[in-house]
Amino acid sequence: MRHINRFRLPALALAAGTLLSTVVAVQPASASAGGHGPSLRALADRAGVRIGTAVDMTALADDRTYRGTTIRDYNSVTAENVMKWESVEPERGVHNWKPADDLVRFARAHGQVVRGHTLVWHSQLPAWLTSGVEDGSIDAAELRGILRDHITAEVKRYKGKIQQWDVVNEVFEEDGSLRNSIWLRELGPSYIADAFRWAHAADPKAKLFLNDYNVEGVNAKSTAYYELAKRLRAEGVPVQGFGIQGHLAIQYGFPGQVAENLARFGALGMQTAFTEVDVRMILPVDETKQATQASYYRRLLDACLGARSCRSFTVWGFTDKYSWVPGVFEGQGSATPMDETYGRKPAYEALREGLAAGR
Ligand code: G3I
């Protein structure tokens, strides 16, 4: 099973420290972050595609190499955490916009676009909201108003500064049924259309996306998205994009029919994007695994470059130093294109070659 089990995070976070040192020890030496050759960004500019990364705001503030690489290699950035509800409204009515403002300002200063992530999700919700629903002090009518206000406030704040918004995130189960989230339980399925309408009202120019994992190829889950998008668009709901996260693992193989999947969303008149690409493996790392990982990165990138609908390809962090993977998947890691010391892996070179080859 490839899907992400966030509930294991606290128990497994402790193991991450020991795993990290193992990875460093076995990884082959590679060129440094400032090495030779054109940057990913320069090649992406030439190819007419956005190459993006999730950004960890603490690392951006504290780590010069991280900051320099973000500027050098990427022309799109996504907040890894700081635009999520728990971060922007930790207490009811008390907003903490600063880290998200900082990212938007950073992007502007460095000529990067921003992908907004994410407005409606079942995870990383503020405690005041989840406990209020659980203890009955927030009823469905009030919850709907809270959701509308949240979307409106956040989208308006960054109006004109966000290229693509992940409006609803991870709303389907693997079998294509709607996820049994607080939103579905309390508001029913109409919350999805409502979320898009509210976001569109707040920033009519931002491209509004559905976004999920395990939807790279054609399967029950991606087909559920296809049917949902088709229906919503027929009803005039402003849904303009389908975001494919792209959290792969080499031990599960490469998903089938990725090009076909992108093509069917393109045929609906929608944009597509790879939004959170990383390719993990069971540790320890070896050259064969790294070569497989590189080919997975390249195949996803090629799928994007081969689809007219796809103009944005984002990695979920570019260095293993800050990757979320070892804290969640015990014994797995090395998921990003650079190791903990910013050494370039074959995956980095694969992205470079893919971008150089262009569309
Ligand atoms: O902010 C607190 C900090 O105050 C505290 O000291 C620290 C102690 O552990 O925790 C911090 O919060 C963590 C947060 O990341 C910010 O670093 C949370 O524990 C941790 O659970 C959270 O993990 C994030 C995860 O989403 C949450 O589900 C990962 O960084 C982030 O990479 C990950 O991203 C998701 C996408 O949003 C959606 N798709 C899947 C992807 C991977 O799970």
Coordinates of all heavy atoms in Angstrom, one line a residue, residues 4 6 9 13 54 56 79-81 84 86 117-118 121 123-124 169-170 211 213 245 247 276 278 316 322-324 328, ligand 1:
I4 N -0.4 7.4 2.3 CA 0.3 8.0 3.4 C -0.5 7.9 4.7 O -1.6 8.2 4.8 CB 0.4 9.5 3.0 CG1 1.2 9.6 1.7 CG2 1.0 10.3 4.2 CD1 1.0 11.0 1.1
R6 N -0.6 9.3 8.1 CA -0.1 10.4 9.0 C -0.2 10.1 10.4 O 0.5 10.6 11.3 CB -0.8 11.7 8.7 CG -0.5 12.3 7.4 CD -1.1 13.6 7.2 NE -1.0 13.9 5.8 CZ -1.8 13.3 4.9 NH1 -2.8 12.6 5.2 NH2 -1.6 13.6 3.6
L9 N 2.9 9.3 12.6 CA 4.0 10.3 12.6 C 4.6 10.4 14.0 O 5.8 10.3 14.1 CB 3.5 11.7 12.1 CG 4.5 12.8 12.0 CD1 5.6 12.3 11.1 CD2 3.9 14.1 11.5
A13 N 8.6 9.5 14.5 CA 9.5 10.6 14.4 C 10.8 10.3 15.1 O 11.9 10.7 14.7 CB 8.8 11.9 15.0
A54 N 8.4 22.6 -2.4 CA 7.8 23.0 -1.1 C 8.9 23.7 -0.3 O 10.1 23.3 -0.4 CB 7.3 21.7 -0.4
D56 N 10.2 24.9 3.5 CA 10.2 24.9 4.9 C 10.7 26.2 5.4 O 11.8 26.6 5.2 CB 11.2 23.7 5.3 CG 11.3 23.6 6.9 OD1 11.3 24.7 7.5 OD2 11.5 22.5 7.3
A79 N 4.2 26.7 0.1 CA 4.4 26.6 1.5 C 4.2 25.1 2.0 O 3.1 24.6 1.8 CB 3.4 27.5 2.2
E80 N 5.2 24.5 2.6 CA 5.0 23.2 3.0 C 4.0 23.1 4.1 O 3.2 22.1 4.2 CB 6.4 22.6 3.5 CG 6.2 21.1 3.8 CD 7.6 20.4 4.1 OE1 8.6 21.0 4.0 OE2 7.5 19.2 4.4
N81 N 4.0 24.1 5.0 CA 3.0 24.0 6.1 C 2.4 25.4 6.5 O 1.3 25.4 7.0 CB 3.7 23.5 7.4 CG 4.0 22.0 7.3 OD1 3.1 21.2 7.3 ND2 5.3 21.6 7.3
K84 N -1.4 26.4 5.9 CA -2.4 25.5 6.4 C -3.2 26.1 7.5 O -2.7 27.0 8.2 CB -1.8 24.1 6.8 CG -1.2 23.4 5.6 CD -0.4 22.2 6.0 CE 0.2 21.4 4.8 NZ 1.1 20.4 5.2
E86 N -4.2 25.3 10.5 CA -3.6 25.2 11.9 C -2.5 26.3 12.1 O -2.4 26.9 13.1 CB -3.1 23.8 12.1 CG -1.8 23.7 12.8 CD -1.2 22.3 12.8 OE1 -1.8 21.4 13.5 OE2 -0.2 22.0 12.1
H117 N -1.2 26.4 -0.7 CA -1.5 25.0 -0.2 C -1.8 25.1 1.3 O -0.9 25.5 2.0 CB -0.3 24.1 -0.5 CG -0.4 22.7 0.1 ND1 -1.1 21.7 -0.6 CD2 0.1 22.1 1.2 CE1 -1.0 20.6 0.1 NE2 -0.3 20.8 1.2
T118 N -2.9 24.8 1.8 CA -4.1 24.3 1.1 C -5.3 24.8 1.9 O -5.1 25.0 3.1 CB -4.1 22.8 1.0 OG1 -5.3 22.3 0.4 CG2 -3.9 22.1 2.3
W121 N -8.8 20.8 4.1 CA -8.1 19.5 4.3 C -8.6 18.9 5.6 O -9.2 19.7 6.4 CB -6.6 19.8 4.4 CG -5.7 18.6 4.2 CD1 -6.0 17.4 3.6 CD2 -4.3 18.5 4.6 NE1 -4.9 16.6 3.6 CE2 -3.9 17.2 4.3 CE3 -3.4 19.3 5.3 CZ2 -2.6 16.7 4.5 CZ3 -2.2 18.8 5.6 CH2 -1.8 17.6 5.2
S123 N -6.6 17.4 7.6 CA -5.5 17.3 8.4 C -5.0 18.7 8.8 O -5.3 19.6 8.0 CB -4.4 16.5 7.7 OG -3.2 16.3 8.5
Q124 N -4.1 18.8 9.8 CA -3.6 20.1 10.2 C -4.7 21.2 10.3 O -4.5 22.3 10.0 CB -2.4 20.5 9.3 CG -1.2 19.7 9.5 CD 0.0 20.1 8.7 OE1 0.0 19.8 7.5 NE2 1.0 20.7 9.3
N169 N -8.1 19.4 -0.7 CA -6.9 18.5 -0.7 C -7.4 17.1 -0.1 O -7.9 17.1 1.0 CB -5.8 19.1 0.2 CG -4.5 18.4 0.1 OD1 -4.1 18.1 -1.0 ND2 -3.8 18.2 1.2
E170 N -7.1 16.1 -0.9 CA -7.2 14.7 -0.4 C -8.7 14.4 0.1 O -8.9 13.9 1.2 CB -6.2 14.4 0.7 CG -4.8 14.7 0.2 CD -3.7 14.6 1.4 OE1 -4.1 14.3 2.5 OE2 -2.6 14.8 1.1
N211 N -6.5 18.4 -5.4 CA -5.1 17.9 -5.2 C -5.2 16.6 -4.4 O -5.9 16.6 -3.4 CB -4.3 19.0 -4.4 CG -2.8 18.8 -4.4 OD1 -2.2 18.5 -5.4 ND2 -2.2 18.8 -3.2
Y213 N -2.9 12.5 -3.5 CA -1.8 11.5 -3.7 C -2.5 10.2 -4.3 O -3.7 10.0 -4.2 CB -1.0 11.3 -2.4 CG -1.9 10.8 -1.3 CD1 -2.1 9.4 -1.1 CD2 -2.4 11.6 -0.3 CE1 -2.9 8.9 0.0 CE2 -3.1 11.2 0.7 CZ -3.4 9.8 0.9 OH -4.2 9.4 1.9
Q245 N -0.1 14.9 -6.6 CA 1.0 15.1 -5.6 C 2.3 14.4 -6.1 O 3.3 15.0 -6.1 CB 0.6 14.6 -4.2 CG -0.6 15.5 -3.6 CD -0.9 15.1 -2.2 OE1 -0.3 14.3 -1.6 NE2 -2.0 15.8 -1.7
H247 N 3.7 11.5 -4.6 CA 4.5 10.8 -3.6 C 4.7 9.4 -4.0 O 3.9 8.5 -3.7 CB 3.9 11.0 -2.2 CG 3.8 12.4 -1.7 ND1 4.9 13.1 -1.4 CD2 2.7 13.2 -1.5 CE1 4.5 14.3 -1.0 NE2 3.2 14.4 -1.1
E276 N 3.7 17.7 -5.5 CA 4.4 17.3 -4.3 C 5.4 16.1 -4.6 O 5.5 15.2 -3.8 CB 3.5 16.9 -3.2 CG 2.4 18.0 -2.8 CD 1.6 17.6 -1.7 OE1 1.9 16.7 -0.9 OE2 0.5 18.3 -1.5
D278 N 8.0 13.4 -4.7 CA 9.2 12.8 -4.1 C 9.1 11.3 -4.3 O 8.0 10.8 -4.6 CB 9.4 13.2 -2.6 CG 8.3 13.0 -1.7 OD1 7.4 12.2 -2.0 OD2 8.3 13.5 -0.6
W316 N 8.5 18.0 -3.4 CA 8.1 18.2 -2.0 C 9.4 18.3 -1.1 O 9.6 17.5 -0.3 CB 7.1 17.2 -1.5 CG 6.2 17.7 -0.4 CD1 6.1 17.3 0.9 CD2 5.3 18.8 -0.5 NE1 5.2 18.0 1.6 CE2 4.7 19.0 0.8 CE3 5.0 19.7 -1.5 CZ2 3.8 20.0 1.1 CZ3 4.0 20.7 -1.2 CH2 3.4 20.9 0.0
Y322 N 15.5 18.1 5.2 CA 14.3 18.5 5.8 C 13.1 17.7 5.3 O 11.9 18.1 5.5 CB 14.0 20.0 5.4 CG 15.2 20.9 5.9 CD1 16.0 21.5 5.0 CD2 15.4 21.1 7.2 CE1 17.1 22.3 5.4 CE2 16.5 21.9 7.7 CZ 17.3 22.5 6.7 OH 18.3 23.3 7.1
S323 N 13.3 16.5 4.7 CA 12.2 15.8 4.1 C 11.3 15.2 5.2 O 11.7 14.7 6.2 CB 12.7 14.7 3.2 OG 11.7 13.8 2.9
W324 N 10.0 15.2 4.9 CA 9.0 14.7 5.9 C 9.0 13.1 5.9 O 8.5 12.5 6.8 CB 7.6 15.1 5.4 CG 7.2 14.5 4.1 CD1 7.6 14.8 2.9 CD2 6.3 13.4 3.9 NE1 7.1 14.1 1.9 CE2 6.2 13.2 2.5 CE3 5.5 12.6 4.8 CZ2 5.4 12.2 2.0 CZ3 4.7 11.6 4.2 CH2 4.7 11.4 2.8
V328 N 7.7 9.7 8.9 CA 6.4 9.1 8.7 C 6.5 7.6 8.3 O 5.7 6.8 8.7 CB 5.5 9.9 7.7 CG1 4.2 9.1 7.3 CG2 5.3 11.3 8.2
Ligands
G3I1 O1 4.7 23.4 14.0 C1 5.0 22.4 15.0 C2 6.0 22.9 15.9 O2 5.5 24.0 16.6 C3 6.4 21.8 16.8 O3 7.5 22.2 17.6 C4 6.9 20.5 16.0 C5 7.2 19.3 16.9 O4 7.2 18.2 16.1 O5 5.8 20.2 15.2 C6 5.5 21.2 14.2 O6 4.5 20.8 13.4 C7 4.8 19.8 12.4 C8 4.6 20.5 11.0 O7 4.8 19.5 10.0 C9 5.5 21.6 10.8 O8 6.9 21.2 10.8 C10 3.9 18.6 12.6 O9 4.2 18.0 13.7 C11 4.1 17.7 11.4 O10 3.0 16.7 11.5 C12 3.9 18.4 10.1 O11 4.1 17.5 9.0 C13 3.7 18.0 7.8 C14 2.6 17.1 7.2 O12 2.2 17.5 5.9 C15 1.3 17.1 8.1 O13 0.4 16.2 7.7 C16 4.9 17.8 6.8 O14 5.9 18.8 7.2 C17 4.5 18.2 5.4 O15 5.5 17.9 4.5 C18 3.3 17.3 5.0 O16 2.8 17.7 3.7 C19 1.7 16.9 3.2 C20 1.0 17.9 2.3 O17 0.6 19.0 3.0 C21 -0.2 17.2 1.7 N1 0.2 16.0 1.0 C22 1.0 15.1 1.7 C23 2.2 15.7 2.3 C24 3.1 14.8 3.1 O18 2.4 14.2 4.2

